[in-house]
Amino acid sequence: GAGVSQSPSNKVTEKGKDVELRCDPISGHTALYWYRQSLGQGLEFLIYFQGNSAPDKSGLPSDRFSAERTGGSVSTLTIQRTQQEDSAVYLCASSFGQNGYTFGSGTRLTVV
Amino acid sequence: GQQVMQIPQYQHVQEGEDFTTYCNSSTTLSNIQWYKQRPGGHPVFLIQLVKSGEVKKQKRLTFQFGEAKKNSSLHITATQTTDVGTYFCAGPSGGTSYGKLTFGQGTILTVHP
């Protein structure tokens, strides 16, 4: 597609439920990144994919967070047993080579 | 680990005034990137600087990369209300030239008409 597509755009979930967030990067972009942004805060790195492999998972906050990427394209970020502190905007970005990131519009996750 | 600091955290200006935000990295960077996030929006890539001492201009925006490749600045001349937003700098981690970016905490710019 023309840009990075994320779905859903908004998600309200009950504490303790699992959620899946989807990212569809720009076609041909080999690198894909997940970041988290809490209200009024900066960008917190979660995980980075190069192709289907994840060379850097160092930002995942706990083992409740996992992510995968299939076919070198779509990625899914899964949060199990959601907690209120997981509430944030989850941003996906993709890039090719040494070029800058193209971000998606994000998924706003609210845990109630 | 690598840290990227930005100052100021907030800047309020009258339309027509100039604005500068500064970015400092704890480590030498292979390149530095700047992003703009409008209120309610997502970060949008503005520019990448690679060479020591590099200066690039985009209309009223001037970007500089320090000689030691550890600091950078963004200067906006004669701000307009369309410049409102948060400006982030970011650099690659671990001395690489690609991959994961570490972002500064951003400078929130407010422009009063």
Side-chain angles (χ1 to χ4, degrees):
Chain A
V4 177
S5 178
Q6 289 189 248
S7 61
S9 54
N10 280 285
K11 176 72 176 178
V12 180
T13 189
E14 290 181 353
K15 178 181 172 181
K17 295 284 179 71
D18 298 353
V19 295
E20 282 191 353
L21 312 180
R22 177 188 167 104
C23 174
D24 200 342
I26 291 174
S27 178
H29 278 198
T30 53
L32 184 147
Y33 313 85
W34 285 97
Y35 283 79
R36 178 167 74 172
Q37 187 173 36
S38 300
L39 187 63
Q41 300 298 309
L43 293 154
E44 177 189 3
F45 170 78
L46 297 177
I47 188 168
Y48 152 52
F49 288 92
Q50 183 64 39
N52 289 336
S53 64
D56 192 338
K57 306 178 183 179
S58 63
L60 294 177
S62 73
D63 58 7
R64 295 186 296 105
F65 288 71
S66 63
E68 65 174 14
R69 187 181 186 193
T70 55
S73 181
V74 172
S75 176
T76 303
L77 176 68
T78 301
I79 309 173
Q80 295 178 312
R81 304 180 303 281
T82 51
Q83 304 294 313
Q84 288 187 329
E85 61 263 28
D86 299 334
S87 296
V89 175
Y90 289 80
L91 290 162
C92 175
S94 68
S95 69
F96 178 77
Q98 298 181 30
N99 298 319
Y101 288 5
T102 301
F103 281 89
S105 297
T107 293
R108 182 176 300 278
L109 175 66
T110 304
V111 182
V112 297
Chain B
Q2 178 191 40
Q3 292 187 344
V4 178
M5 306 297 292
Q6 273 184 264
I7 56 169
Q9 187 175 359
Y10 302 94
Q11 186 74 59
H12 306 275
V13 300
Q14 288 292 130
E15 190 171 20
E17 292 182 338
D18 291 357
F19 159 75
T20 304
T21 174
Y22 300 91
C23 177
N24 288 284
S25 171
S26 59
T27 60
T28 302
L29 299 170
S30 59
N31 68 77
I32 193 149
Q33 301 179 21
W34 285 90
Y35 292 78
K36 176 183 179 181
Q37 184 174 24
R38 294 183 185 274
H42 57 275
V44 174
F45 174 74
L46 294 177
I47 206 162
Q48 178 176 255
L49 304 171
V50 178
K51 299 177 184 175
S52 169
E54 188 170 14
V55 178
K56 285 189 176 180
K57 292 191 176 185
Q58 289 179 348
K59 298 183 180 178
R60 295 178 294 103
L61 277 61
T62 301
F63 303 84
Q64 287 190 296
F65 199 11
E67 295 289 341
K69 301 184 77 173
K70 294 182 72 174
N71 62 291
S72 181
S73 65
L74 159 59
H75 179 82
I76 303 178
T77 303
T79 53
Q80 300 175 358
T81 55
T82 53
D83 295 326
V84 164
T86 303
Y87 292 85
F88 293 98
C89 63
S93 300
T96 64
S97 59
Y98 55 89
K100 163 189 166 186
L101 291 176
T102 298
F103 284 79
Q105 65 268 47
T107 294
I108 300 171
L109 172 64
T110 305
V111 179
H112 299 285

